[in-house]
Amino acid sequence: MLGIMAALALAVALPFVVSGYRVFQFTMVLDYAIAVFGANILTGYNGQIALGNGAFYAIGAYTVAILMTHAGMPYWATIPIAAGTCFVAGFLFGLPALRLEGPYLALTTFALAVATPQLLKYHGIESWTGGVQGILFDKPDAPAGVPLNSDQFLYLFCLFVTVIMFVLGANLLRGRTGRAIIAIRDNPTAAAGMGIDTSLYKSLTFGVSALFTGVAGALGAIVTQFVSPDSFTLFLSISFIVGVVIGGVATVSGAFFGALFVEFVPNYADQISKAAPWAIYGALLIAFMYAMPTGVVGLLRLIVRRIDPQWAIRKDAGKQ
Amino acid sequence: MQAFLHQLLSGIATGGIYASLALALVMIHQATHHINFAQGELAMFATYIAWTLVQAGVPYWAAFVLTLVFAFALGVFLQNVVLRPVQNAPFFSVVIVFIGLLVIFNSLAGWIFTYTVKTFPSPFPIRAWYGSNYLSPHEVGMTAVTLVVLVLVFAFFRFTNLGLAMRGAAQNPAASRLVGISVGRMLALGAGLAGAIGAVAGIMAAPILYLEPNMMSGILLYGLAGAVLGGIDNPWGAALGGVMVGVLENLAGAYVVGTELKLSVALLVIIFVLLFKPSGLFGRSIVVRV
C-alpha cells in the first residue's frame, strides 16, 4: 500500500519536473499500461493468448475520433462510449474464440491484427473513418482557470483514468469473478465442476480485456489527436503482448514495466542504430527473455524472496 | 467461364506457395507445439540471398539450391542457438522470442538490402509453350516446383529411417530418446527443413509479389489460415488447406470483396473453420482425458 502511494505521488509530480516531450512520452506510458493490463487480464489471468488487441485499441481510438469530429462530443464523454463499444466487440469476438485453445487462438487473433489496417481502409466506411488519411482533430486544452499547459493537463487526465482502470481491474481480479477467471486458466474442467460457466466467463473476459484496450486506444487518440489505419498495425498488437511478457504474466504492476519497455526501448534502439533499429529491438527482446523469463515483476519477486524468504508468507497472512 | 477458370487455376498456383509455408509451420508445430511467427521473415531473408546470388551471376538453379542450403543452415542455427535455451521457458517467453526473430529479420533485410522494391527473375520461359493462357508459365512452373517439394518431403518422412526418427521425436520425445534418437538433433533438422521449404515458397512468390522486406507477411497469414483449415496436426491436410485458401482468396478477390479486402478473407476463413470444425478439415480432434 505504501509503495503504491509513493508511486502515485511520484507520478503526479512527474509532469512538473520533466520537459514537454517527456511528458508526452510518459502520457503514452500510462496509456500503454492500461492496454498491457487489458491484454494481461485475457492472456495472463485467463490463459487465452491474445495477439490481436491492437484491433480493439483501434476501435477505441476511432470511436473517439468519429464522435469528436462528427458528433462534436467533448473528449472526456467519448471514453465511456469507446469502452462500451469495445466491450461488445470483444465479447462478440470472444464467442467464436471460446472453442479455441493455445495456438489456435493465437493464430486467430494474429490474423485479426494483420487484417485491421486493411479493414480500416475499406472504402465503404470511408466517410466515417477518413480512409487511408485517417482523422485529425483538435488538442483538448486544460479547463479555464487551471494553471497547466495542455501536455501536463493531458498527462494528469490520463493518470486519473489509469488509476480508475487499475483500481477497477485489480478489484475485479481479486474478487469472486477474478478467482473464476484464474480457475478457468488453471483447470477448466475443475472450474466447470465448481459451477463456473466457463464459456460465459471466457467471453466476458475477452470483453473486459477489449474494454481496457479500448479505453487505452481512446486515450491514445486524445493524446495524439490523430488516428489512421497505419497506426494500428500488427506491430501495435505485438507490443501489447511484449509488454505483458516483459512486465510479468499475470501481474498487475507488471503492466507499468511493460509499458515503459514498449514506449522507450524503440527510441533507444533507434539511438543505438539508425540503420536497423528494430533488429536491436528484437535482440533486446530475446535478451530480456533469456535474462528474466518471468518478466520484471517475476525477477523482482525472486530477488525479494532471496533476501527475505518469509516475505511471501507474511504477505499472504496480511491479506487475511 | 474462361475468366473463372483462369482465377481458379491461378488460385491453385498461389495456393501452392501458401501450402509450402503451411507445411513449414506445421512441421515446427508438430515438433515443438509452437507457431513460428518468424517463418515468413526467414523465407523472405532467404529470398534476398537468392536475389544476391542471381545478381552476382550465379545460374538460377544453382542459386536456388545454394539458397535452400543457406535456409536449412539458418533454421538449424536458430533452433540450436536461439530457441534451445528457451525450450523449457514459459510458453509466452517462446512466443516473444519468435516475435523477436520476426522483427530482427525484417529489420536486417531492410538494412542490408534496402526497402526499395526489387524484381526477381523467374526461371520459366516467358512465352507459354502449351498454347493456353489460363496460366502464365511462371504459375505452371511454380505449381510444379511446389508439387515436387511436397512429394519429396512426403517421401522423406514416409520412406527413410531419418524421417521415421523425426516423426518419432515429434510424437513421443521420451520414448524416442530411449531407443537412441537424439531429439535435439531431430528438432534442429526439422527447423532446417522448415526453413528450406519456406525458402522455396519465398523464391517462387518473389517474381509475382516483387521482393521487399514485408513481402511475406501476407503469405504468412494465408499459410496460417491454410494450416488451420487443413488441421495443424496434419502436414498433408495443411498443404491442401493452403491450396484451398489460395483458390478461395483468388475467387473471393475477383468476385466478392475485391482486392482491397483480400487479407480479411484469410481472417474469415480462420474464424469460420474454427467455429464449425475447430480441428480443421483433416485434423484429429483432440479428446482430453480428465
Side-chain angles (χ1 to χ4, degrees):
Chain A
M1 203 60 207
L2 216 63
I4 297 174
M5 294 308 262
L8 197 60
L10 200 71
V12 172
L14 192 78
F16 303 101
V17 289
V18 298
S19 68
Y21 182 63
R22 285 262 179 251
V23 172
F24 168 77
Q25 283 184 316
F26 279 108
T27 314
M28 289 312 288
V29 169
L30 293 175
D31 178 50
Y32 287 144
I34 301 175
V36 170
F37 188 37
N40 212 342
I41 291 175
L42 187 61
T43 302
Y45 288 93
N46 199 219
Q48 308 194 64
I49 306 159
L51 296 175
N53 269 23
F56 301 115
Y57 191 89
I59 294 177
Y62 267 91
T63 307
V64 167
I66 291 171
L67 285 176
M68 279 178 74
T69 50
H70 288 269
M73 284 176 74
Y75 64 93
W76 48 267
T78 59
I79 294 176
I81 300 174
T85 315
C86 287
F87 178 78
V88 174
F91 184 77
L92 292 180
F93 194 81
L95 286 178
L98 269 181
R99 308 180 50 169
L100 315 181
E101 306 247 317
Y104 284 102
L105 185 64
L107 281 182
T108 316
T109 49
F110 183 80
L112 178 67
V114 175
T116 300
Q118 214 182 29
L119 288 170
L120 289 173
K121 281 177 198 162
Y122 181 56
H123 64 81
I125 50 170
E126 207 169 82
S127 58
W128 293 96
T129 57
V132 183
Q133 256 105 52
I135 307 171
L136 197 66
F137 52 95
D138 295 331
K139 191 174 193 173
D141 276 318
V146 180
L148 296 168
N149 66 35
S150 59
D151 282 335
Q152 288 169 332
F153 172 71
L154 278 178
Y155 173 85
L156 290 175
F157 178 72
C158 279
L159 184 62
F160 175 68
V161 178
T162 309
V163 169
I164 292 179
M165 295 313 287
F166 271 79
V167 169
L168 286 178
N171 275 336
L172 179 82
L173 291 171
R174 202 179 303 136
R176 189 186 163 82
T177 318
R179 285 197 302 276
I181 290 174
I182 295 166
I184 291 170
R185 173 195 70 190
D186 290 341
N187 192 334
T189 318
M194 300 292 281
I196 297 168
D197 185 345
T198 51
S199 27
L200 180 69
Y201 269 94
K202 276 174 119 177
S203 304
L204 279 176
T205 312
F206 228 107
V208 170
S209 170
L211 184 149
F212 273 76
T213 317
V215 169
L219 285 179
I222 292 170
V223 171
T224 51
Q225 301 101 39
F226 177 57
V227 293
S228 80
D230 292 320
S231 343
F232 308 107
T233 54
L234 171 67
F235 186 73
L236 182 73
S237 294
I238 287 178
S239 294
F240 297 151
I241 210 75
V242 164
V244 168
V245 181
I246 295 283
V249 175
T251 61
V252 175
S253 54
F256 291 98
F257 297 106
L260 285 170
F261 186 93
V262 169
E263 172 65 27
F264 287 108
V265 170
N267 272 327
Y268 288 126
D270 199 44
Q271 281 166 17
I272 295 171
S273 159
K274 277 268 177 292
W278 295 109
I280 306 277
Y281 179 84
L284 277 172
L285 211 53
I286 293 175
F288 254 79
M289 285 301 99
Y290 283 172
M292 37 181 129
T294 50
V296 176
V297 172
L299 185 74
L300 289 178
R301 281 184 188 159
L302 204 70
I303 293 170
V304 170
R305 223 166 281 162
R306 278 280 159 77
I307 299 169
D308 179 5
Q310 305 291 308
W311 175 76
I313 301 164
R314 273 207 313 278
K315 198 183 165 213
D316 277 347
K319 269 187 189 163
Q320 270 132 38
Chain B
M1 191 59 210
Q2 206 155 2
F4 176 80
L5 260 180
H6 173 72
Q7 292 294 346
L8 184 74
L9 289 173
S10 76
I12 292 176
T14 36
I17 295 174
Y18 308 152
S20 309
L21 206 64
L23 185 63
L25 288 168
V26 168
M27 280 178 62
I28 300 278
H29 182 263
Q30 278 203 311
T32 61
H33 297 284
H34 278 288
I35 309 264
N36 184 357
F37 288 105
Q39 198 76 62
E41 301 311 302
L42 295 181
M44 174 273 297
F45 199 78
T47 310
Y48 269 109
I49 300 296
W51 179 83
T52 314
L53 289 172
V54 170
Q55 289 298 306
V58 180
Y60 183 91
W61 290 107
F64 184 86
V65 172
L66 282 175
T67 305
L68 294 202
V69 172
F70 168 81
F72 181 87
L74 186 64
V76 171
F77 170 81
L78 290 177
Q79 170 64 32
N80 279 340
V81 176
V82 181
L83 292 167
R84 204 171 202 165
V86 287
Q87 64 181 355
N88 294 321
F91 182 82
F92 294 111
S93 310
V94 186
V95 173
I96 295 297
V97 170
F98 278 127
I99 288 173
L101 286 176
L102 186 161
V103 178
I104 289 176
F105 278 99
N106 189 292
S107 183
L108 275 184
W111 178 39
I112 302 172
F113 305 105
T114 75
Y115 287 93
T116 32
V117 178
K118 294 175 170 58
T119 52
F120 193 89
S122 166
F124 308 109
I126 299 165
R127 284 174 52 98
W129 71 94
Y130 40 79
S132 151
N133 41 18
Y134 285 135
L135 272 180
S136 73
H138 179 73
E139 285 174 319
V140 173
M142 185 166 92
T143 317
V145 169
T146 315
L147 271 178
V148 168
V149 169
L150 290 182
V151 168
L152 281 179
V153 174
F154 176 78
F156 172 73
F157 278 108
R158 182 72 183 76
F159 300 117
T160 67
N161 280 336
L162 193 57
L164 183 65
M166 281 178 67
R167 281 192 286 153
Q171 250 168 34
N172 195 336
S176 306
R177 237 173 239 123
L178 286 177
V179 296
I181 297 168
S182 163
V183 174
R185 203 170 292 164
M186 292 305 130
L187 284 180
L189 197 58
L193 275 180
I197 296 171
V200 174
I203 295 174
M204 288 297 122
I208 301 175
L209 292 174
Y210 300 110
L211 187 56
E212 49 114 2
N214 297 318
M215 175 182 85
M216 291 302 279
S217 68
I219 295 186
L220 177 68
L221 186 59
Y222 290 127
L224 287 172
V228 171
L229 181 63
I232 205 157
D233 52 3
N234 181 341
W236 318 114
L240 202 59
V243 175
M244 286 160 76
V245 168
V247 171
L248 203 67
E249 176 230 353
N250 244 26
L251 293 182
Y255 297 108
V256 191
V257 295
T259 46
E260 221 182 333
L261 286 179
K262 261 184 168 184
L263 264 184
S264 315
V265 172
L267 173 64
L268 278 181
V269 168
I270 295 181
I271 291 179
F272 270 94
V273 171
L274 293 173
L275 263 179
F276 298 110
K277 193 119 180 29
S279 51
L281 294 177
F282 311 103
R284 258 174 299 123
S285 45
I286 303 158
V287 181
V288 183
R289 191 177 155 174
V290 178

